[in-house]
Amino acid sequence: MAGRGGCRRGREQLELGRLGEAARAGSCPPSPPLSACSRQAWSRDNPGFEPEEEEGAAAAGPVLEMDVEWGSPAAGASSSLGSGAAGQSGGGGGRRQRRVPAGRGGAEGPSRHPGPPEGAAPHRAAWAKRLARRLRGLWGTRLMEESNTSRERYLKSVLRELVTYMIFLVVLCVLTYGTVSSSMYYYTRVMSQLFLETPVSKMEKTDFKTLSTMDDFWKFTEGPLLDGLYWEMWYNNKTMAENKSFIYYENLLLGVPRIRQLKVRNGSCSIPEDLRDEIKDCYDVYSVANEDTAPFGLRNGTAWTYTNEKDLNGSSHWGLIATYSGAGYYQDLSRTREVTAVQIASLKRNLWLDRGTRAAFIDFSVYNANINLFCVVRLLVEFPATGGLVTSWQFQPVRLIHYISTFDFFLAACEMAFCLFVLYYMVEEILEIHIHRLHYFRSLWNCLDILIIVLSVVAIGISIYRTSTVDMLLKKLLEDENSFPNFEPLAYWQMQFNNIAAVTVFFVWIKLFKFVNFNRTMSQLSTTMSRCVKDVIGFAIMFFIIFLAYAQLAYLVFGTQIDDFSTFQDCIFTQFRIILGDFNFTEVEEANRILGPIYFTTFVFFMFFILLNMFLAIINDTYSEVKSDMAQQKAEMELSDLIRKGYNKAMIKLKLKKTTVDDISESLRQGGGKLNFDELRQDLKGKGHTDAEIEAIFTKYDQDGDQELTEHEHQQMRDDLEKEREDLDLDRSSLPRPLSSRSFPRSLDDSEEDEDEDSGHSSRRRGSSSSGVSYEEFQVLMRRVDRMEHSIGSIVSKIDAVIVKLEAMERAKLKRRDVLGRLLDGVTEDERLGRDNEIHREQMERLVREELERWESDDTASQMSHRLGTPLGLNGQPRSRNSRPSSSQSDGIDGGGGGNGGNNIHV
């Protein structure tokens, strides 16, 4: 055993030494035993080439694992060999496992442990674990991948997630668009034309939209309302079915219509003492607290006595002036026109509407069997405290009866698929939250996923409630033909379902940006918005300060005269319309001839010509920065490259397309033995290869760097390919399932396939010693080290140049002190000896002139050295010993490293 351990330890050290030499050299050894470098060149650097070892990757086979203690003298003694889960029990952070094919090499074969014991229980356990692993793979997304996963594997997860999401999007769109049709619009249109646009009489043009008084309201109920509700005669004066009204001969009037009003009590507001003699009654604006519940008029029947909201099974309604409750005084009309006319005449004669009336509702429902649609109609007339009236209406076409036609059953199948997708995404998000904890919620896309799931669950709940209750309610509402069928609750839930479905579809489409951002061009939008968010927030604060100031001004000046400025909310929307060019300057000018033009002119100037252009400038500048940064970034593999790669691989397997090597060989033969990079790129681009493929191949085999492939370099490329193919054949012959050669020293696919942990997520695999370092990660680290060495060397050279300049400055300062000392000594000597001042002045001028000439010569030499990139003064040349830098150069160095060296130092 000791000899066997020593042999194994020797092989491990030899393998590690070979890997270290390959990493230090940065290129492949001439003849690697396992053709590792050729695999590296073709399966990593070339994204367009895929080795053939994946053809039989579905089969399972026994593998051996070898534990290596990095840096431990007792590595061989502590190594353990096992199959399957045996190698995963040791989880130390300093251990590393390498997968070795069974039967590969002489040292490993005899030390193989026996396989699992035979028996039904271990087989069942292994089968259950494999099944659990396959099920976990269904929820594999990019957030569940390891951090050291290769770019290609990461994009494969993204592509699978995108395909699943697109299927979900298609199912959702079929569901939402399948429940809406153009028939709904035409249904609403014909009903609204009948009741809203019909004049109250042949002599008047007033219709429901233009009602202005209570008298107009009664004219409408006695004319267009009765004519529209009761269609008892054909156009040839033949009677229709008895006691049944088919509006437009197609829409059955369900039950009877209902007219309801809400009142406020007298004395609900206070009257000033000075006017109490003239004004006796006072009716406040509507509110639930001011609502009148006392009987009035005839004091018999529901039309004259108050009924609460619960008994009416009603709900509140949001009108134009106020929000009204579902209670009030109501009168159910009849199924015949004559009886209904008598009822309306009785209400009018007994003053059913009076000063206390604040709202009158007209409700009825119709059904069209041709298109299987109900239409719930509500006409509302509001009587404000100011007098007059305001009209509004609501037509709700809803599909309450489902699963009749073949298409309805198809929609039912889509609903089941939608529920399964929601359950699938719920499990996916739970797994991702379990992995990332609170960090999961830091991503906006993750929060959007949660929002989509919540909205989908709410929509499913509403749909189940609607479907389960509609049959019972329809039977109950329609069994009594002389009662009012209240479809308002069903219509309400149907409208809420439509609103939630619309919002869900909107967010689901927005989420597509999450996948589009993997494209380099498409990601410019999200990158631009994320970079300029701070500037946009600052701009928005300034924008809305001015915007709200103008809105307040417009509300106070024009609010009493212009409908578009009648409320503060209307002022805000009107100003947005002005920015977009939709405005009515005449109304503003007529409301205030002085402040109107001033408001309009200054608002357009500041908001449109200044602030809006500032916003566009922020976006444009940020987009330019993003575009320039992306142009400098290194191109990475994208989803389009992955799809193109798969397509090319399929075409090559079907022998419908040549491989990259065959294309290069053909191009080389056409080029006469040498092939230029531009020619190769143009030729291979025309054959469907990407720039990344071409650049990777050319860089790998262009050893002399002359941008040309010679016959020798091409032959080396052919030899590497043959070695790669031979090695793959050897792998397939030695293993039932070939090991992937794309990872170093073991592939992520194999490590994930043979792990025995219950969790298949990255957080649980991260601390395991079974996952080897991939070759891509090793190469990335090597490139980073090379860049660090290059950067450090550049920094050291620049620091040396600065030190040389500082030394030159010090020598210049000493020389300056010496010259000034000599000048001072000369002046002192002249004063002591009584020499002539003219002679002394001439000597001083001569000394200063000589010193200035030396400084100018030094400055010229320094500038020449800057252009040549060589610091002066090193080893005493070419600076003179008595030279000093010029004052401008000295100031530049003192102020932060002037010259060539100081401006380029960033540590």
Side-chain angles (χ1 to χ4, degrees):
M1 292 299 294
R4 190 176 302 165
C7 179
R8 183 166 61 251
R9 184 162 57 250
R11 289 180 60 84
E12 295 169 0
Q13 293 176 356
L14 179 61
E15 183 68 14
L16 294 175
R18 183 184 304 142
L19 296 174
E21 292 174 0
R24 287 189 296 271
S27 61
C28 301
S31 299
L34 298 177
S35 301
C37 296
S38 61
R39 283 197 297 271
Q40 297 162 11
W42 291 101
S43 59
R44 296 184 183 87
D45 295 337
N46 184 4
F49 181 84
E50 183 72 18
E52 298 179 358
E53 83 273 10
E54 295 183 357
E55 294 178 357
V63 294
L64 297 179
E65 298 181 353
M66 178 167 60
D67 294 346
V68 182
E69 283 286 349
W70 293 92
S72 174
S78 62
S79 299
S80 61
L81 295 175
S83 63
Q88 293 197 12
S89 58
R95 298 181 62 84
R96 181 174 177 178
Q97 295 182 351
R98 185 185 173 194
R99 300 169 59 87
V100 183
R104 196 82 176 266
E108 291 84 343
S111 61
R112 186 193 314 171
H113 287 293
E118 297 182 357
H123 286 293
R124 285 197 299 269
W127 179 84
K129 290 181 179 179
R130 285 197 297 270
L131 179 60
R133 193 178 301 117
R134 295 293 187 274
L135 291 177
R136 287 198 304 267
L138 294 176
W139 283 275
T141 63
R142 60 188 184 89
L143 292 180
M144 299 181 187
E145 293 291 341
E146 292 182 350
S147 58
N148 59 350
T149 302
S150 64
R151 176 72 176 177
E152 181 178 353
R153 182 178 176 85
Y154 178 78
L155 289 179
K156 285 182 179 179
S157 299
V158 173
L159 183 60
R160 181 177 64 176
E161 190 178 356
L162 174 60
V163 172
T164 305
Y165 188 77
M166 290 300 297
I167 298 175
F168 168 72
L169 178 60
V170 170
V171 171
L172 181 59
C173 290
V174 170
L175 278 178
T176 53
Y177 297 138
T179 57
V180 180
S181 65
S182 58
S183 300
M184 291 185 172
Y185 165 73
Y186 292 116
Y187 199 12
T188 304
R189 178 182 174 183
V190 296
M191 296 299 292
S192 61
Q193 287 178 346
L194 178 61
F195 291 99
L196 303 181
E197 299 179 6
T198 303
V200 296
S201 65
K202 296 181 180 180
M203 304 301 295
E204 301 181 29
K205 296 182 179 180
T206 304
D207 54 18
F208 181 81
K209 295 181 179 180
T210 59
L211 298 180
S212 58
T213 63
M214 288 186 181
D215 185 48
D216 293 338
F217 172 80
W218 289 117
K219 290 180 180 178
F220 169 77
T221 56
E222 293 172 343
L225 180 63
L226 291 180
D227 295 338
L229 288 176
Y230 302 101
W231 291 57
E232 299 176 350
M233 303 289 292
W234 282 93
Y235 57 85
N236 60 355
N237 296 327
K238 288 187 178 181
T239 60
M240 299 179 62
E242 187 177 358
N243 292 333
K244 290 185 179 180
S245 175
F246 286 89
I247 301 174
Y248 283 115
Y249 311 114
E250 301 291 347
N251 305 284
L252 175 63
L253 177 63
L254 301 175
V256 296
R258 171 177 290 179
I259 182 170
R260 176 173 62 95
Q261 74 157 324
L262 288 170
K263 302 178 63 177
V264 294
R265 63 180 180 271
N266 187 13
S268 55
C269 56
S270 60
I271 303 174
E273 295 182 359
D274 296 338
L275 300 176
R276 286 181 181 177
D277 295 336
E278 289 79 12
I279 301 176
K280 304 297 182 181
D281 301 326
C282 181
Y283 298 89
D284 200 357
V285 297
Y286 175 82
S287 67
V288 178
N290 295 332
E291 193 170 312
D292 188 6
T293 60
F296 73 103
L298 301 180
R299 296 179 180 270
N300 58 353
T302 57
W304 309 99
T305 58
Y306 181 83
T307 306
N308 58 37
E309 183 174 320
K310 182 178 180 181
D311 294 337
L312 284 177
N313 192 24
S315 60
S316 60
H317 181 86
W318 186 16
L320 298 178
I321 298 177
T323 300
Y324 304 96
S325 67
Y329 307 86
Y330 73 94
Q331 174 68 56
D332 287 339
L333 304 180
S334 176
R335 295 184 58 83
T336 62
R337 179 188 178 97
E338 292 76 12
V339 177
T340 301
V342 172
Q343 292 174 333
I344 293 177
S346 175
L347 295 176
K348 179 180 179 182
R349 183 173 59 254
N350 293 284
L351 200 64
W352 191 63
L353 299 180
D354 56 14
R355 290 184 58 190
T357 303
R358 288 293 174 261
F361 298 85
I362 301 175
D363 297 312
F364 59 93
S365 302
V366 295
Y367 173 71
N368 190 311
N370 301 331
I371 54 178
N372 188 26
L373 285 178
F374 290 82
C375 187
V376 182
V377 181
R378 168 165 286 180
L379 305 178
L380 172 60
V381 179
E382 299 178 73
F383 300 90
T386 58
L389 56 85
V390 179
T391 59
S392 60
W393 51 90
Q394 191 177 69
F395 295 86
Q396 301 181 46
V398 293
R399 190 186 304 274
L400 299 179
I401 302 177
H402 299 272
Y403 315 125
I404 295 179
S405 64
T406 305
F407 184 72
D408 292 338
F409 287 103
F410 171 72
L411 292 180
C414 292
E415 289 175 355
M416 297 176 61
F418 176 76
C419 295
L420 293 177
F421 269 111
V422 172
L423 180 62
Y424 170 84
Y425 282 116
M426 287 177 65
V427 176
E428 178 182 296
E429 301 308 318
I430 290 174
L431 293 176
E432 292 180 354
I433 293 174
H434 176 72
I435 292 172
H436 299 279
R437 305 295 179 182
L438 295 179
H439 293 278
Y440 171 86
F441 297 97
R442 294 185 177 180
S443 173
L444 181 62
W445 297 117
N446 296 338
C447 297
L448 183 61
D449 292 338
I450 298 296
L451 179 60
I452 291 174
I453 291 176
V454 171
L455 291 175
S456 301
V457 171
V458 173
I460 292 173
I462 294 177
S463 180
I464 293 175
Y465 169 77
R466 179 197 59 189
T467 305
S468 60
T469 58
V470 66
D471 294 335
M472 179 181 63
L473 290 177
L474 277 177
K475 182 178 180 181
K476 182 179 179 181
L477 292 173
L478 299 178
E479 62 184 4
D480 186 4
E481 295 182 353
N482 294 319
S483 64
F484 169 72
N486 189 5
F487 286 96
E488 183 184 356
L490 294 178
Y492 170 79
W493 286 112
Q494 179 65 37
M495 297 304 296
Q496 298 306 314
F497 174 81
N498 294 341
N499 295 335
I500 294 176
V503 175
T504 304
V505 171
F506 171 78
F507 284 124
V508 167
W509 277 102
I510 291 298
K511 189 185 171 183
L512 280 181
F513 280 104
K514 174 182 179 181
F515 303 100
V516 171
N517 285 339
F518 287 97
N519 183 277
R520 183 169 186 151
T521 303
M522 298 298 182
S523 63
Q524 293 181 0
L525 173 62
S526 59
T527 307
T528 301
M529 297 305 297
S530 60
R531 283 196 183 183
C532 69
V533 61
K534 293 183 178 179
D535 295 333
V536 170
I537 291 175
F539 166 81
I541 294 174
M542 177 177 59
F543 175 86
F544 281 106
I545 288 175
I546 301 177
F547 188 86
L548 294 177
Y550 273 102
Q552 191 70 37
L553 172 65
Y555 175 63
L556 296 176
V557 176
F558 315 117
T560 60
Q561 303 180 46
I562 303 178
D563 180 56
D564 291 337
F565 297 93
S566 59
T567 64
F568 187 72
Q569 295 85 349
D570 291 338
C571 290
I572 293 176
F573 292 120
T574 302
Q575 289 188 160
F576 277 117
R577 290 168 50 194
I578 292 176
I579 294 177
L580 298 176
D582 180 16
F583 57 86
N584 190 342
F585 176 73
T586 304
E587 289 185 349
V588 175
E589 186 180 20
E590 291 176 353
N592 194 312
R593 291 186 294 176
I594 298 177
L595 292 179
I598 294 176
Y599 159 81
F600 182 81
T601 305
T602 56
F603 178 80
V604 171
F605 177 77
F606 284 108
M607 304 302 296
F608 187 79
F609 291 103
I610 297 181
L611 293 180
L612 187 59
N613 285 283
M614 285 179 60
F615 175 75
L616 296 177
I618 292 173
I619 300 297
N620 289 334
D621 291 345
T622 308
Y623 178 76
S624 301
E625 295 176 2
V626 170
K627 195 171 183 180
S628 61
D629 292 345
M630 286 189 172
Q632 298 175 0
Q633 291 178 358
K634 183 179 179 181
E636 291 184 338
M637 191 177 187
E638 298 180 356
L639 278 177
S640 58
D641 298 328
L642 181 64
I643 296 173
R644 190 183 298 109
K645 175 182 175 181
Y647 170 77
N648 293 334
K649 181 180 177 181
M651 297 296 290
I652 291 173
K653 286 186 177 181
L654 295 175
K655 297 182 179 180
L656 299 176
K657 186 178 181 180
K658 296 181 180 180
T659 63
T660 308
V661 177
D662 295 333
D663 291 337
I664 296 178
S665 301
E666 183 179 353
S667 301
L668 194 61
R669 286 193 299 269
Q670 295 176 358
K674 276 195 173 185
L675 189 61
N676 186 272
F677 176 73
D678 295 331
E679 298 174 355
L680 174 67
R681 181 178 179 275
Q682 184 177 1
D683 190 12
L684 295 184
K685 284 281 285 185
K687 296 177 180 179
H689 299 284
T690 62
D691 290 333
E693 297 176 48
I694 303 169
E695 184 178 355
I697 295 173
F698 209 95
T699 305
K700 182 64 184 177
Y701 295 99
D702 186 19
Q703 298 179 354
D704 51 6
D706 59 352
Q707 294 293 309
E708 289 183 350
L709 284 181
T710 62
E711 285 283 1
H712 174 71
E713 294 168 348
H714 181 255
Q715 185 61 36
Q716 182 181 1
M717 180 175 60
R718 302 279 306 183
D719 294 341
D720 287 344
L721 179 62
E722 293 300 327
K723 292 177 184 178
E724 170 75 12
R725 291 176 177 172
E726 292 175 2
D727 189 58
L728 295 177
D729 294 338
L730 182 60
D731 286 343
R732 283 196 295 267
S733 63
S734 60
L735 288 176
R737 184 194 64 175
L739 291 175
S740 175
S741 63
R742 287 179 297 174
S743 61
F744 171 78
R746 61 179 289 194
S747 69
L748 292 172
D749 292 333
D750 294 335
S751 64
E752 181 180 355
E753 189 70 24
D754 291 331
E755 281 183 345
D756 285 339
E757 296 178 6
D758 292 335
S759 173
H761 312 310
S762 61
S763 63
R764 300 190 182 184
R765 297 198 302 262
R766 202 168 290 133
S768 174
S769 62
S770 62
S771 59
V773 177
S774 64
Y775 180 81
E776 287 83 359
E777 183 179 4
F778 180 76
Q779 287 291 81
V780 169
L781 293 176
M782 288 296 299
R783 287 194 295 270
R784 289 180 178 176
V785 171
D786 293 339
R787 286 197 297 266
M788 290 175 61
E789 291 178 351
H790 176 74
S791 300
I792 292 174
S794 176
I795 292 173
V796 169
S797 63
K798 293 174 182 179
I799 292 176
D800 290 339
V802 172
I803 292 175
V804 168
K805 291 182 179 181
L806 293 176
E807 292 175 352
M809 288 174 58
E810 187 65 25
R811 289 194 300 269
K813 289 180 180 179
L814 294 176
K815 180 62 177 177
R816 187 193 309 171
R817 184 181 301 170
D818 182 35
V819 171
L820 294 178
R822 284 190 295 164
L823 291 176
L824 183 61
D825 293 340
V827 172
T828 305
E829 184 69 19
D830 290 340
E831 290 178 354
R832 185 175 61 85
L833 299 177
R835 293 180 181 177
D836 187 9
N837 290 335
E838 291 294 330
I839 300 174
H840 171 65
R841 186 181 298 107
E842 291 177 358
Q843 292 177 351
M844 291 183 62
E845 288 178 357
R846 179 172 52 82
L847 290 175
V848 171
R849 190 176 295 108
E850 290 175 356
E851 189 65 22
L852 289 176
E853 289 175 357
R854 291 193 189 98
W855 290 355
E856 291 175 358
S857 63
D858 266 359
D859 192 13
T860 303
S862 177
Q863 292 178 0
M864 291 297 297
S865 69
H866 286 188
R867 295 193 185 97
L868 296 176
T870 305
L872 291 179
L874 189 61
N875 298 328
Q877 54 177 319
R879 290 188 184 274
S880 62
R881 299 181 59 88
N882 297 329
S883 66
R884 61 155 289 170
S886 64
S887 60
S888 61
Q889 182 182 357
S890 176
D891 294 340
I893 296 177
D894 293 339
N900 190 35
N903 291 333
N904 295 322
I905 296 177
H906 303 283
V907 181

